[in-house]
Amino acid sequence: MTCMQGWSTFEAEMIEVVASMSRGPVFLAGELLECLITFTNPMSHLSTSASSEMLAWASAQIHCQFHASENRVALPAQGAKQDVQAGSDTVLIPSRGERGQCMLDTPPKILFCDLQLDPGESKTYSYSEIVPTDGPPSFRGQAVKYVYKLTIGCQRVNSPIKLLRVPFRVLVLHGMPEPPFPQDEEVAPSNPFLEEDDGGRRDGQPLDRALDMLMINTSRRCAHLFNITNMRGKVAKFCIFKTVYRLGEDIIGTFTFSEGDIPCLQYSVSLQSEEEVQQQYQRRPGQSASITGHGRHLESCLHTASSHFSLPVPLNVTPGFSTDIVSLRWRLHFEFVTAREPVEPPTVLQNQSEVTVWMGAGHVDVDTFSWDLPIKVLPTNPALASYVSQFSGTNSINI
């Protein structure tokens, strides 16, 4: 009986806090983040030990944590200054217990003061904040990591502060050229089923405007032709119709080997990101960049007149960006294996009815060479990226 009373007492001292980003866990910098935060007293009013629960206050704010690899990044020494409040568990520090340093945060917003919840009662509060535009994108690289979180702090009277963190992803759209039309013209085609706002525009929202610009700048197509050669002559002609892509798009290219003089036995195309620490922060002089592969197409192409490849840009990778400490660039990495001598194709007689098996040469002297083609990778619609996000946009805690 004593054990049951103890359990009831524990239940009576619990408030459940649930935070949920209804739009999803991915946002563009400059977009409005909205989160619903619900506080519930889970005790039933029929319970003999049921009682009202009190919270002194709750607040919420966004912060970005920065962590650098000591093996690759040499950061300036931090001063010996220490916040006298940092060690107190009654002072709200959203990054308390987190790895690295807080490089960006928004002012905290008070959700309430002196909240009383009767047994079975819930109250929901709405938090909204513009995702800062002066920060980096979310990124987990080999040298640095940038991680965004929404932190909700709440406290009972005379108790330590409890923190509920909801991680989310930030995409940064920067360096976009202005569209080739006046700013007061419509960007998207007119839709008669959409209501116009007071200003007569349908694309007035920052997110809509950014996505319109993104679509325009990644939809332009123009054939880019390259002659692939090595020291012995021309291998092939390569064609690609654009070099700027959104997350989730397919990169498509074609090879024409019939225009080459040198037999190509095999080729491969890899989508790669290149993470480079800025020179002043490199741990070692001349430190090489970190190369990460995100997809590869490999094909044997001897006696092939033409070929093509298709490589998708994953939705969960980080578009190119640059900060004071690190830069991320994208490229297509090509590797070719060519024969040093002509390779005779199989001979098929015009009226031959039987199947002919062609045996390739047992030994071929080859050359190998590679080539890198820089490309740009830009963000996509955050709602689309949310489908493959590692974050759920929801988290909870009991206090």
Side-chain angles (χ1 to χ4, degrees):
M1 189 67 179
T2 304
C3 179
M4 291 297 293
Q5 290 177 349
W7 174 257
S8 297
T9 301
F10 173 79
E11 286 285 321
E13 295 178 354
M14 181 178 69
I15 293 180
E16 183 184 61
V17 186
V18 178
S20 178
M21 300 173 180
S22 57
R23 219 291 315 278
V26 183
F27 299 87
L28 278 177
E31 186 184 355
L32 182 68
L33 179 151
E34 294 180 300
C35 183
L36 296 178
I37 305 159
T38 301
F39 298 82
T40 303
N41 182 347
M43 286 297 297
S44 170
H45 67 280
L46 300 177
S47 173
T48 56
S49 61
S51 62
S52 297
E53 294 292 332
M54 293 287 298
L55 279 178
W57 59 267
S59 69
Q61 66 186 114
I62 293 170
H63 66 101
C64 176
Q65 288 295 118
F66 165 70
H67 175 72
S69 167
E70 296 182 356
N71 295 327
R72 302 191 63 84
V73 182
L75 295 176
Q78 298 291 325
K81 179 180 67 174
Q82 183 176 0
D83 189 343
V84 295
Q85 296 180 331
S88 172
D89 58 6
T90 59
V91 176
L92 177 60
I93 303 174
S95 59
R96 178 187 286 119
E98 296 277 87
R99 293 183 63 192
Q101 53 186 283
C102 180
M103 62 168 298
L104 179 151
D105 58 358
T106 60
K109 291 186 177 180
I110 300 298
L111 300 177
F112 62 78
C113 290
D114 298 328
L115 173 65
Q116 176 176 318
L117 293 173
D118 294 330
E121 184 180 9
S122 294
K123 288 191 177 180
T124 299
Y125 298 85
S126 177
Y127 168 83
S128 62
E129 182 65 88
I130 298 294
V131 178
T133 58
D134 55 349
S138 298
F139 179 60
R140 291 181 177 271
Q142 299 185 37
V144 303
K145 292 179 175 63
Y146 297 108
V147 180
Y148 283 83
K149 295 182 180 180
L150 169 62
T151 296
I152 297 104
C154 41
Q155 184 180 27
R156 292 176 179 268
V157 178
N158 299 323
S159 299
I161 293 176
K162 299 294 184 179
L163 300 178
L164 170 61
R165 295 189 174 100
V166 186
F168 62 96
R169 181 185 179 191
V170 172
L171 301 172
V172 177
L173 185 60
H174 57 81
M176 293 289 290
E178 288 299 319
F181 40 73
Q183 292 295 314
D184 58 352
E185 291 186 7
E186 289 284 355
V187 178
S190 177
N191 187 335
F193 299 101
L194 296 179
E195 294 183 2
E196 296 195 11
D197 58 19
D198 295 338
R201 293 181 54 82
R202 300 182 180 92
D203 60 337
Q205 296 298 322
L207 175 60
D208 296 333
R209 182 71 178 178
L211 293 178
D212 288 337
M213 294 175 62
L214 180 63
M215 288 295 295
I216 290 171
N217 285 278
T218 56
S219 298
R220 297 190 180 112
R221 293 179 178 271
C222 178
H224 301 269
L225 300 175
F226 302 88
N227 288 321
I228 310 296
T229 63
N230 64 5
M231 65 182 69
R232 300 180 187 275
K234 183 176 178 180
V235 176
K237 178 181 287 185
F238 174 66
C239 177
I240 193 169
F241 282 94
K242 63 176 189 173
T243 56
V244 181
Y245 300 89
R246 300 186 307 275
L247 298 180
E249 275 197 284
D250 289 335
I251 302 173
I252 299 175
T254 60
F255 294 97
T256 304
F257 295 104
S258 59
E259 298 187 17
D261 305 318
I262 308 301
C264 185
L265 306 179
Q266 179 179 281
Y267 75 89
S268 68
V269 187
S270 301
L271 175 62
Q272 297 180 341
S273 60
E274 184 179 9
E275 178 189 1
E276 184 173 19
V277 178
Q278 307 292 9
Q279 186 174 359
Q280 63 269 32
Y281 293 106
Q282 292 181 0
R283 176 62 66 181
R284 298 175 302 278
Q287 179 174 296
S288 61
S290 300
I291 307 298
T292 303
H294 303 276
R296 184 170 182 251
H297 176 90
L298 175 66
E299 188 168 325
S300 298
C301 53
L302 180 61
H303 306 314
T304 300
S306 62
S307 179
H308 75 280
F309 69 88
S310 177
L311 285 174
V313 181
L315 282 167
N316 59 352
V317 300
T318 302
F321 73 95
S322 180
T323 67
D324 293 339
I325 297 176
V326 71
S327 65
L328 185 73
R329 297 183 294 269
W330 286 85
R331 70 186 189 185
L332 292 175
H333 178 72
F334 299 81
E335 295 181 355
F336 300 91
V337 180
T338 59
R340 295 181 180 179
E341 301 292 338
V343 179
E344 292 298 326
T347 301
V348 180
L349 300 179
Q350 185 175 2
N351 298 324
Q352 184 173 352
S353 60
E354 296 181 0
V355 175
T356 300
V357 178
W358 178 71
M359 297 296 294
H363 175 80
V364 178
D365 292 328
V366 300
D367 295 314
T368 60
F369 66 99
S370 61
W371 170 52
D372 293 322
L373 175 63
I375 62 172
K376 288 185 178 180
V377 173
L378 301 180
T380 189
N381 191 316
L384 182 61
S386 294
Y387 285 112
V388 297
S389 176
Q390 61 176 319
F391 306 128
S392 65
T394 302
N395 204 356
S396 63
I397 190 176
N398 292 327
I399 60 175

